[in-house]
Amino acid sequence: MDMSVFDLFKIGIGPSSSHTVGPMVAARRFLLECGDLSEAVGVEAHLYGSLALTGVGHATDKAVILGLMGETPQGVDPDSVEDKLAEAELDGVLKLLGTKEVPFQYATSLVWHKQSTLPEHPNGMKFVLKLADGSIIERIYYSVGGGFITAAGESQSRAPSEGGTAVPFPFDTMSDLLAQGRADGLSIPHMLRANELARMTEEELNAGLDRIWQVMRDCIAHGLVTEGQLPGGLNVKRRAANLWKQAHCDAGNRRNELPHDATHHVTLYAMAVNEENAAGGRVVTAPTNGAAGIIPAVLRYYAEDCRPSDAAKGIRDFLLTSAAIGMLCKKNASISGAEIGCQGEVGVACAMAAAGLVAALGGSNERIENAAEIGIEHHLGMTCDPIGGLVQIPCIERNGMGAIKAITAASLAMKGDGTHFVSLDNVIETMRQTGYDMQAKYKETSLGGLAIHVVTVNHAAC
């Protein structure tokens, strides 16, 4: 497996890993690969397929412009985005990589090809750099889900961190991982840790994992106190903050101690994250932005409600194990809603969270596999049909439901002995085939499902 835990968990901004994070990375990569920009006199970005159909609602346009400016998803300040974009539009000038100025007009420099799809993936984009001598540099990239990008002809399985480093426990399937665990008597988080230590020091690994958890925690916390309305034209109100208040206080300002409080809180954690995501805030891609609330919600449930004796170790084991499941799903199926529907986003995130929770609780490798399999199995066939092309309805509530399913899957697996009828490898292959058979209108195009059966405002992304 040529991926790292930090390929699956990337710090970025909302609202979409495939439609925001990926295009921003691709735009910047294009200019870096062009080399000398001193003779540049113009630039164009052409968006195809799902990027064109739901790009405005997913902030693809903004992401491309920011990437051409040289911004990165992890480095850009979410609060500065609108000012940067407004300045560029007002001046009619874009500073490529923050240095070379070229004319740029939103209406002509961004071209939306809603009736065309490039051959390798539904999320295709072409960048064109115009030079003073009349020549051009032109390249095609694909945003293949979870913030991963590939150039035309480049393997999707190749990860940004991959540098040919040999790891002690290579695996391409869950069967590989289970076999190595049995042979060496090691747990899945132990093996994933060993693989990461082939790339970095233990201090770097722990600091990186802790940083991911801190950003997740901050995202939940901010979402639980922020009220108002989400951008995009649907006039969707943020609900997590108000529901959080209700969950803690009744009319007499006394704590509400209903038996379902813990799971209700989990739902609100997930919704808080995805409201932050919908607002373009700072989130961790886990494994996508559209499904970014599930793993943080279940992690906080573990840290606060499961009473771990060593929370730091449990959280790190959770993230390492979750990453293993995400790697398997990406390599052997997809984590792109535009490619296989939301089963590849919320379904995969649910499986990752379920497996991570079992690992953190000390469950066996077989129970970890069982939890992940349950998590995906009960999301098979889930469509991606966001209303107005926005990562809001049904995405926000769907994360809350996915987090609860993850805890249920973990509970079922922990109460069993690890034996189960359907293997994780089989259910991942089923997910891949189901996505292949799914009609395109149900795969992040907003041409079917809820997106066309709910009356919306006149929104540019519709």
Side-chain angles (χ1 to χ4, degrees):
M1 185 68 65
D2 56 5
M3 281 175 270
S4 163
V5 61
F6 300 113
D7 294 326
L8 268 296
F9 297 117
K10 295 187 282 289
I11 298 170
I13 62 170
S16 172
S17 49
S18 60
H19 288 56
T20 313
V21 174
M24 190 187 303
V25 172
R28 182 173 181 270
R29 173 177 164 179
F30 167 67
L31 291 179
L32 289 172
E33 291 178 347
C34 286
D36 182 13
L37 300 177
S38 61
E39 296 301 308
V41 295
V43 66
E44 290 180 356
H46 296 253
L47 293 311
Y48 295 82
S50 179
L51 290 181
L53 288 164
T54 63
V56 174
H58 286 69
T60 304
D61 47 351
K62 298 177 181 180
V64 165
I65 294 169
L66 290 169
L68 293 173
M69 290 177 175
E71 298 286 356
T72 63
Q74 69 273 20
V76 67
D77 177 4
D79 294 332
S80 72
V81 166
E82 294 304 324
D83 287 343
K84 290 178 183 291
L85 296 171
E87 182 180 354
E89 181 65 16
L90 180 65
D91 296 341
V93 171
L94 205 60
K95 282 189 176 181
L96 302 182
L97 298 182
T99 57
K100 173 62 176 178
E101 289 190 352
V102 297
F104 189 91
Q105 293 294 330
Y106 182 100
T108 57
S109 300
L110 292 175
V111 185
W112 307 89
H113 299 269
K114 295 185 178 183
Q115 304 302 319
S116 303
T117 302
L118 295 178
E120 295 181 28
H121 193 278
N123 292 334
M125 65 200 103
K126 179 175 70 176
F127 296 99
V128 180
L129 186 69
K130 301 177 181 180
L131 303 178
D133 62 3
S135 64
I136 63 170
I137 300 174
E138 178 180 293
R139 291 186 183 165
I140 291 173
Y141 300 87
Y142 296 92
S143 182
V144 297
F148 290 87
I149 63 164
T150 61
E154 190 175 80
S155 170
Q156 286 193 28
S157 64
R158 178 176 166 272
S161 66
E162 194 260 325
T165 303
V167 296
F169 301 102
F171 64 97
D172 289 317
T173 65
M174 177 55 82
S175 295
D176 293 341
L177 208 50
L178 291 173
Q180 292 187 90
R182 293 187 192 106
D184 297 311
L186 298 174
S187 70
I188 289 174
H190 184 107
M191 291 185 284
L192 266 291
R193 174 171 285 274
N195 285 353
E196 294 297 328
L197 293 180
R199 304 181 177 101
M200 65 193 76
T201 67
E202 187 155 20
E203 291 74 18
E204 290 171 333
L205 174 59
N206 288 339
L209 294 172
D210 293 347
R211 170 64 175 154
I212 293 297
W213 172 225
Q214 184 62 55
V215 174
M216 288 178 171
R217 289 176 61 192
D218 290 347
C219 188
I220 293 173
H222 194 265
L224 289 177
V225 298
T226 305
E227 301 182 38
Q229 189 169 285
L230 294 173
L234 291 183
N235 301 321
V236 173
K237 291 183 179 180
R238 297 179 69 136
R239 291 183 290 161
N242 187 49
L243 290 171
W244 181 249
K245 291 177 185 176
Q246 291 179 29
H248 284 74
C249 299
D250 61 16
N253 201 35
R254 298 187 301 274
R255 183 170 175 80
N256 180 3
E257 297 289 359
L258 292 176
H260 65 267
D261 272 358
T263 52
H264 181 52
H265 291 170
V266 170
T267 302
L268 298 185
Y269 301 154
M271 290 177 62
V273 170
N274 281 83
E275 287 179 354
E276 286 292 290
N277 178 64
R282 175 73 68 214
V283 298
V284 175
T285 298
T288 68
N289 281 30
I294 295 171
I295 288 171
V298 179
L299 258 176
R300 181 160 167 175
Y301 167 80
Y302 164 73
E304 295 187 358
D305 293 287
C306 295
R307 299 181 180 86
S309 58
D310 188 347
K313 179 183 182 301
I315 289 166
R316 292 166 185 165
D317 284 351
F318 187 118
L319 291 171
L320 289 165
T321 304
S322 294
I325 305 304
M327 292 173 192
L328 290 170
C329 292
K330 184 183 186 306
K331 182 176 181 62
N332 298 315
S334 175
I335 57 172
S336 167
E339 193 168 27
I340 65 169
C342 199
Q343 59 176 354
E345 296 200 37
V346 165
V348 171
C350 177
M352 291 170 68
L357 181 55
V358 171
L361 295 172
S364 66
N365 292 347
E366 289 73 21
R367 288 185 174 91
I368 290 170
E369 186 212 11
N370 189 195
E373 179 272 322
I374 294 170
I376 292 180
E377 184 178 12
H378 298 289
H379 286 90
L380 288 175
M382 181 176 277
T383 59
C384 182
D385 49 354
I387 295 175
L390 297 163
V391 194
Q392 297 178 18
I393 305 171
C395 318
I396 294 170
E397 287 182 354
R398 190 170 279 180
N399 274 257
M401 299 299 291
I404 296 303
K405 284 187 177 182
I407 294 172
T408 302
S411 177
L412 288 170
M414 288 294 287
K415 288 178 171 62
D417 61 4
T419 59
H420 49 286
F421 195 81
V422 181
S423 72
L424 178 62
D425 292 330
N426 284 341
V427 83
I428 290 174
E429 174 58 19
T430 302
M431 179 174 68
R432 186 192 69 79
Q433 292 181 12
T434 302
Y436 179 82
D437 292 338
M438 191 182 291
Q439 294 183 47
K441 66 181 181 179
Y442 297 119
K443 295 191 284 189
E444 209 165 2
T445 59
S446 287
L447 296 176
L450 285 176
I452 65 168
H453 290 109
V454 176
V455 177
T456 66
V457 293
N458 182 20
H459 182 261
C462 295

